[in-house]
Amino acid sequence: MKREAVSYGARAKQMKAPPGPRGLEVFGFLGGGNAGRTVNFLERSARRFGPISSFRILTKRIYLVDDPDLIEEILVKRQHSFVRDTGAVLLRELIGDGLLTREEPEHRERRRILQPAFHRDQIASYADSMTREAERTASDWQPGAVIDLAAEMRRLTLAIVGECLFGADFRGSAKGIAAVIQRVGKRSQWLVPGFAFLEPLVLAYRRAFPRGPSLFFRSERAELERIVTPIIERRRQSQTRDVISLLMAQRDETGGQLSDEDIRNEIVTFVLAGHETTATALTWTWYLLAQHPEIERKMHAEIGAIIGDRAATFDDIPRLRYTSAVFAEAMRLYPPALLFGRRPKETITLGGYTIRRGATIFLSPYITQRNERFFERPTAFEPERWEAGSPPKFAYFPFGGGAKMCIGEPFARMEGVLVLAALARHWRLALSNEKAVGVGSGMILRPDRPILMRLEPRQAAASMPQPANAAASL
Ligand code: HEM
């Protein structure tokens, strides 16, 4: 993994805006309602203008930071100078005030309550449920069937989150939740690029009516509440430290400081943040594997040698090194959280430039993780690069960083490896799309069309010819 030093020097950049696209070009940011095009526009800007670039749309100045040191400054070293950006304001209209949308000091307090659900020993206790759900999916699949991969991965990761974090069976709700996500995705497609301009109105509304109905997702929010409310009502008398038990215990201890609505918001947060992201990461992983038979064979060999014909366990994970590298490398090329933002609370200096209070600063794992300054052959799928060591800090940050870093990171990493191992033990997934798959729209880096996979039982797969999948490309 490589790293080039960036010299910021003490050049007289102060007060001058960083370089970036100008004139009509900047409207490329709006992407015609397509987040994929917005990201392409940002990627081109980063490559042309370097570690920190900026442009202005109407009254709004937007910055893009594509440099590990500056990313670390924002997410970790000077994190208290920033708050979440526009995306969180829009998300709050769907999920309410939860861990993913709160600011300090409430965020810190909520994180303290929930953190035990993600401690190492607790995470270890989720492994068997993860493997069990994945093995169940493997046994439901039929040889020769063609599956919609993303839909299958969503169903599986939803079942896993339900079982591990809430002791609930979400399999019957998968269709309802998928429909909500699809509707939210479609509406966000138009809302996201121009949302910075709507935002002051949304914030004013929320200040006036903190518990007022959702502005953009009223029926979707109602549907999610209908799905999660029974979980609270069927409260488990469990001694475990899963998310629902921690929230319930806190409510009891504090005499109701945590309202039913607070608990509902957290459950909705974890259901949504905890399944769609991992499902997307797994979808791209299978997609890449199907295009790289050599890598696929190597992963199968490792799984065969370490697990053989039994189900994978927590103790196998450190030995599934290549499988872990496959998952990490897929998240380098296709990080589910492709872009997120921060905004300075006060006017600050960053990389020698003055950035005014309230400006939008975008950080993009998708853009930085494909930067040739940090990765050789940046668009190539090469799990082997992980054998040479970890990439520079914050050149790879699919889970963010600092106090607001993904709380589910250890959960997701373990789940990725266990699901790959359980499914690959039985099946080979052969790409059967005729057209190339690209990056779609929305707040999560989904494919722009269904990825169709033909299921081949592993024993038979070994003697089958390689699939013709030249249509697919990175
Ligand atoms: C591959 C899978 C995942 C990816 C790529 C991912 C990515 C991220 C990123 C980038 C953030 C930080 C956003 C920011 O700083 O503004 C985040 C936050 C969060 N994630 Fe994940 N996530 C994944 C899986 C999960 C899982 C499995 C869960 C729950 C079980 C989860 C729950 C959360 C929550 C609650 C937050 C907010 C944390 C806080 O602000 O304290 N995520 N995630």
Side-chain angles (χ1 to χ4, degrees):
M1 304 270 178
K2 64 176 186 170
R3 168 72 180 271
E4 274 179 20
V6 180
S7 160
Y8 302 109
R11 276 177 280 157
K13 290 186 279 188
Q14 224 109 343
M15 299 310 291
K16 228 177 82 195
R22 300 287 181 257
L24 287 180
E25 217 185 338
V26 301
F27 288 96
F29 173 70
L30 300 180
N34 180 321
R37 272 189 240 144
T38 300
V39 171
N40 285 341
F41 164 84
L42 291 173
E43 190 174 15
R44 278 197 309 277
S45 298
R47 299 296 175 258
R48 240 170 97 195
F49 299 107
I52 175 160
S53 54
S54 85
F55 55 95
R56 194 188 176 105
I57 298 193
L58 306 175
T59 55
K60 181 96 189 157
R61 185 159 285 282
I62 295 171
Y63 296 80
L64 174 65
V65 171
D66 178 27
D67 174 75
D69 292 331
L70 295 179
I71 293 169
E72 186 175 15
E73 267 195 62
I74 296 169
L75 291 182
V76 184
K77 292 184 178 159
R78 294 164 68 191
Q79 56 182 301
H80 302 299
S81 306
F82 298 91
V83 289
R84 302 180 204 266
D85 193 54
T86 311
V89 177
L90 180 58
L91 201 57
R92 198 170 60 182
E93 291 303 306
L94 178 67
I95 65 182
D97 274 321
L99 190 60
L100 195 52
T101 52
R102 281 185 181 277
E103 289 299 341
E104 309 308 352
E106 293 84 6
H107 169 265
R108 195 177 314 117
E109 174 56 11
R110 196 54 67 81
R111 182 119 181 173
R112 186 191 62 73
I113 297 170
L114 290 163
Q115 195 67 59
F118 298 93
H119 281 163
R120 194 177 181 279
D121 51 345
Q122 184 66 19
I123 290 284
S125 76
Y126 301 143
D128 288 349
S129 303
M130 290 176 175
T131 296
R132 195 169 47 248
E133 291 298 339
E135 289 284 341
R136 191 200 302 248
T137 297
S139 66
D140 286 347
W141 285 354
Q142 297 299 321
V146 173
I147 56 164
D148 173 342
L149 179 63
E152 286 293 307
M153 290 303 107
R154 275 199 304 269
R155 250 195 300 279
L156 172 55
T157 56
L158 182 64
I160 289 175
V161 158
E163 169 66 25
C164 294
L165 300 187
F166 310 112
D169 184 350
F170 275 143
R171 272 170 300 161
S173 311
K175 272 204 178 124
I177 293 178
V180 165
I181 290 175
Q182 203 180 19
R183 279 183 357 237
V184 167
K186 276 204 178 135
R187 212 159 307 147
S188 305
Q189 203 166 315
W190 289 101
L191 282 168
V192 167
F195 192 71
F197 305 100
L198 268 181
E199 194 186 333
L201 300 174
V202 178
L203 288 172
Y205 167 77
R206 272 289 145 231
R207 267 194 300 274
F209 306 102
R211 290 176 191 268
S214 166
L215 279 177
F216 308 105
F217 308 117
R218 198 176 297 192
S219 67
E220 291 77 12
R221 169 76 206 181
E223 174 70 8
L224 291 175
E225 284 189 7
R226 197 190 55 71
I227 293 169
V228 304
T229 302
I231 300 175
I232 304 176
E233 283 161 6
R234 283 198 310 265
R235 171 191 180 164
R236 291 188 312 167
Q237 296 298 325
S238 118
Q239 294 305 307
T240 63
R241 288 183 296 165
D242 65 11
V243 163
I244 189 93
S245 323
L246 291 168
L247 291 167
M248 294 297 188
Q250 183 71 15
R251 183 173 68 175
D252 297 346
E253 275 169 30
T254 57
Q257 239 177 47
L258 214 61
S259 68
D260 275 358
E261 185 180 349
D262 288 329
I263 294 178
R264 252 196 328 266
N265 288 346
E266 290 304 352
I267 298 178
V268 169
T269 297
F270 278 89
V271 168
L272 293 191
H275 90 282
E276 174 83 359
T277 41
T278 320
T280 305
L282 281 163
T283 299
W284 288 116
T285 308
W286 292 116
Y287 170 73
L288 289 164
L289 282 169
Q291 290 173 280
H292 295 83
E294 210 35 64
I295 294 174
E296 184 191 43
R297 258 195 294 276
K298 216 170 145 181
M299 188 183 89
H300 283 161
E302 179 182 82
I303 293 168
I306 289 173
I307 296 175
D309 57 4
R310 62 177 172 82
T313 67
F314 179 73
D315 293 333
D316 295 319
I317 295 171
R319 294 191 298 148
L320 290 165
R321 290 173 66 96
Y322 192 73
T323 309
S324 303
V326 163
F327 191 54
E329 175 71 349
M331 278 195 290
R332 184 182 69 79
L333 287 171
Y334 294 105
L338 74 166
L339 182 79
F340 49 92
R342 290 292 188 269
R343 129 185 337 186
K345 291 198 266 188
E346 301 298 339
T347 297
I348 55 154
T349 304
L350 187 77
Y353 295 104
T354 300
I355 300 184
R356 287 193 192 288
R357 172 174 182 245
T360 289
I361 305 176
F362 281 130
L363 313 174
S364 171
Y366 181 84
I367 293 170
T368 304
Q369 292 172 185
R370 286 171 174 245
N371 190 330
E372 63 180 8
R373 279 174 40 221
F374 317 120
F375 297 95
E376 278 156 20
R377 298 172 300 286
T379 57
F381 179 54
E382 292 177 359
E384 285 71 14
R385 70 173 85 229
W386 293 86
E387 286 165 4
S390 302
K393 218 166 147 195
F394 291 102
Y396 181 79
F397 61 114
F399 295 97
K404 290 175 179 145
M405 180 171 179
C406 179
I407 197 172
E409 180 197 7
F411 185 102
R413 283 188 188 281
M414 177 168 88
E415 182 181 8
V417 174
L418 290 176
V419 167
L420 286 172
L423 297 179
R425 213 157 70 77
H426 304 281
W427 297 100
R428 175 166 189 276
L429 277 57
L431 195 62
S432 64
N433 284 54
E434 285 178 5
K435 286 197 176 152
V437 175
V439 165
S441 54
M443 297 201 234
I444 291 185
L445 188 69
R446 298 186 187 92
D448 65 352
R449 66 199 65 226
I451 296 180
L452 304 176
M453 290 285 185
R454 197 180 59 253
L455 299 173
E456 298 174 355
R458 270 292 299 290
Q459 300 80 337
S463 58
M464 278 188 180
Q466 295 307 327
N469 50 24
S473 66
L474 275 179

